[in-house]
Amino acid sequence: MLKQTPEQEDSNSKARKMVIGYPFALIFIGMVVNWLAFGFDPISVAMPDKLSIIGIIIAAVLLLANHTWLMTSTELTRIDHGLLTTPEEWAEKNREKADAAQAGWDALERRHNAHRNTTENTVYFAILAGLTLLVSPPAYLVLVWSVCFGVSRLAYTYSYFAANTDLRGIFMSLTLLPLYAMAGYLFVAMMMSF
């Protein structure tokens, strides 16, 4: 490992503090928005209201559009760069992976990373939104956070494909904010129920 200069060590220390503080800042923002815009109520298990269902439907359609964009872009990248999917396809075409240009592999990796990140975040969204639906949240809470999540995922995909790191960071934060906000709401509602 290369020895770092004091300036590099100081920069790394600041970066580590920012990375550690980042989720706590998003949790705080989500909780403040919940408190100011929606309030908190104790858990009361009931069928979801119409606005909450509308929010989930909008988010589902946006997430399906995002998935369609990701899978289509991935396949077009394979076609454009002559990349095949399985060892059988490479053998059938009598080609080797080493024959493909590195630029193609890099473009494909970008799509795979975007797809993987979307899948990881969507799992948590589904769990948190599903639970939030069942605890009789305040009007608009699920609608707002679900639409925010769906729109942010589309914008994240765009910024990832456009290789715009700053924009990608903003939309990653706007994707995480609804997750932390719903988790925070559930936690406070649970604590109020005791």
Side-chain angles (χ1 to χ4, degrees), residues 67 70 114-124 153:
H67 175 71
L70 286 163
H115 206 140
R116 189 171 22 261
N117 184 276
T118 295
T119 301
E120 291 165 356
N121 283 275
T122 301
V123 167
Y124 290 104
R153 286 317 310 174

Side-chain angles (χ1 to χ4, degrees), residues 2-188:
L2 296 174
K3 184 162 171 59
Q4 294 183 337
T5 66
E7 294 82 20
Q8 290 171 322
E9 287 178 5
D10 185 49
S11 176
N12 287 348
S13 176
K14 288 178 184 175
R16 288 179 57 78
K17 288 176 184 172
M18 285 181 63
V19 166
I20 291 168
Y22 172 74
F24 294 104
L26 289 176
I27 292 167
F28 177 77
I29 292 166
M31 295 296 279
V32 168
V33 171
N34 281 345
W35 177 59
L36 294 175
F38 309 116
F40 292 94
D41 296 319
I43 290 174
S44 173
V45 178
M47 291 296 291
D49 62 44
K50 187 175 183 179
L51 283 176
S52 296
I53 296 297
I54 288 170
I56 295 296
I57 291 168
I58 292 169
V61 169
L62 292 172
L63 292 171
L64 180 60
N66 192 54
H67 175 71
T68 302
W69 184 10
L70 286 163
M71 71 178 195
T72 302
S73 178
T74 300
E75 288 310 308
L76 290 173
T77 299
R78 287 183 192 285
I79 291 167
D80 291 345
H81 294 279
L83 303 175
L84 303 169
T85 307
T86 64
E88 302 81 45
E89 289 176 351
W90 287 98
E92 286 172 11
K93 301 281 185 181
N94 215 12
R95 295 186 53 222
E96 299 285 329
K97 286 185 175 184
D99 297 338
Q102 186 60 43
W105 292 115
D106 292 345
L108 185 62
E109 181 181 15
R110 176 175 295 281
R111 273 115 189 114
H112 284 170
N113 288 343
H115 206 140
R116 189 171 22 261
N117 184 276
T118 295
T119 301
E120 291 165 356
N121 283 275
T122 301
V123 167
Y124 290 104
F125 171 75
I127 293 167
L128 290 166
L131 287 172
T132 305
L133 276 173
L134 297 176
V135 300
S136 299
Y140 294 102
L141 184 133
V142 175
L143 175 71
V144 167
W145 292 129
S146 296
V147 172
C148 179
F149 183 82
V151 169
S152 297
R153 286 317 310 174
L154 280 168
Y156 178 85
T157 296
Y158 166 77
S159 60
Y160 208 121
F161 288 172
N164 187 330
T165 303
D166 293 335
L167 196 58
R168 183 170 59 96
I170 290 168
F171 287 112
M172 187 71 240
S173 296
L174 289 175
T175 292
L176 290 172
L177 182 60
L179 300 179
Y180 288 129
M182 285 188 287
Y185 179 83
L186 288 167
F187 183 78
V188 171

